[in-house]
Amino acid sequence: MIDIRPIPAFDDNYIWLLSRPGHKGCAVVDPGDEDPVIERLRTEGLTLEAILITHKHGDHVGGIRGLKAIWPEAVVYGPVGEPIKALERRLQGGDRVELSGLGVAFDVLDVPGHTEGHIAYYGDGALFCGDTMFAGGCGRVFSGTFEQLSDSLIRIGRLPPDTRAYCAHEYTLANLRFALVVEPDNRALQRRFEEATALRADNLPTVPSVLANELATNPFLRCDRPQVAAAAEARAGRPLRSAAEVFAVVRRWKDSWRG
Ligand SMILES: [Zn+2]
């Protein structure tokens, strides 16, 4: 099993570092900034073998050039459906990425919605989902559609429940505060908020999260549940006919929510 550790960047990004004890090579996911990655790899004596990109936003791709300048042999993987010049291997759903040095392989999933060509990497019980799903929440709809993001989250929700989800931001407390507005009586959500509050008070990451916990507490993965649908219908002031419609209402609700 590989080690997966966060390298904090900017205010609230996590760049994920993949390494294996006894192996000098490593990989990173979504390096928005090269400086913290260079510092960490030098400290640990690691060599960069691969860069995995989930989508085109600058806080996910901004460090590629600086890392390639130091480790030109590192292979840059990313979504075929997004305009990212630095990519060397362009991936789409159904593709597989083998990182033989680390002894791990990832299946590529198409998870559009936050952006039009967003992909995720799934393997070894881990999901690198970028800005598609967050702990307790999901990404905004920028260059994809609400229908796409709803469908992507439904498909993520069908992965094994013990999947560990490594999202790209520490947004958990704000997400859970909003989730409690949608589902104030959800006991699992109340407990999760207390646990996350304690972790953040000690400046510890709340990520990764376990998919089963997302399914129990994340409103964006619960749009088919009566409690979430009822809250969305009350918000919209009209009946909603599908989980996708519920999703769109809850996502727009969160966009305008100032907790
Ligand atoms: Zn993004």
Side-chain angles (χ1 to χ4, degrees), residues 21-211:
H23 179 66
K24 278 187 82 68
C26 69
V28 291
V29 182
D30 284 354
D33 186 2
E34 67 268 33
D35 289 340
V37 176
I38 293 167
E39 188 184 332
R40 177 74 72 88
L41 267 54
R42 289 206 163 132
T43 300
E44 300 197 9
L46 293 169
T47 299
L48 192 61
E49 291 178 340
I51 298 173
L52 306 182
I53 300 296
T54 64
H55 70 292
K56 66 187 179 183
H57 285 159
D59 62 324
H60 297 253
V61 302
I64 297 174
R65 185 195 296 238
L67 294 172
K68 285 286 285 185
I70 297 177
W71 294 285
E73 69 281 8
V75 180
V76 187
Y77 299 86
V80 69
E82 304 219 334
I84 307 166
K85 286 206 185 81
L87 297 187
E88 294 161 334
R89 307 277 169 83
R90 293 173 189 276
L91 305 168
Q92 58 188 326
D95 286 342
R96 195 167 164 84
V97 175
E98 304 247 2
L99 302 180
S100 52
L102 289 169
V104 67
F106 294 106
D107 292 319
V108 177
L109 312 178
D110 283 324
V111 290
H114 173 69
T115 57
E116 70 278 17
H118 199 305
I119 59 172
Y121 300 87
Y122 172 68
D124 211 22
L127 175 72
F128 297 94
C129 50
D131 288 354
T132 296
M133 181 178 76
F134 295 127
C138 74
R140 283 177 184 255
V141 173
F142 281 110
S143 49
T145 69
F146 287 87
E147 291 74 19
Q148 285 176 333
L149 189 52
S150 171
D151 181 60
S152 294
L153 292 168
I154 287 169
R155 285 184 289 105
I156 285 174
R158 291 182 186 140
L159 293 171
D162 60 351
T163 300
R164 288 162 287 119
Y166 294 82
C167 64
H169 288 274
E170 180 63 60
Y171 288 160
T172 312
L173 277 187
N175 286 336
L176 295 177
R177 275 191 208 102
F178 173 75
L180 282 165
V181 173
V182 178
E183 281 195 279
D185 300 326
N186 181 329
R187 295 287 297 276
L189 174 56
Q190 294 164 358
R191 275 197 304 277
R192 187 178 187 188
F193 181 69
E194 285 171 19
E195 290 161 9
T197 300
L199 286 169
R200 295 307 298 150
D202 291 336
N203 204 28
L204 294 170
T206 61
V207 183
S209 61
V210 177
L211 187 58

Side-chain angles (χ1 to χ4, degrees), residues 138-141 146 220 247-255:
C138 74
R140 283 177 184 255
V141 173
F146 287 87
F220 298 102
F247 174 82
V249 169
V250 178
R251 183 57 262 179
R252 288 193 171 96
W253 184 0
K254 173 78 163 50
D255 289 346

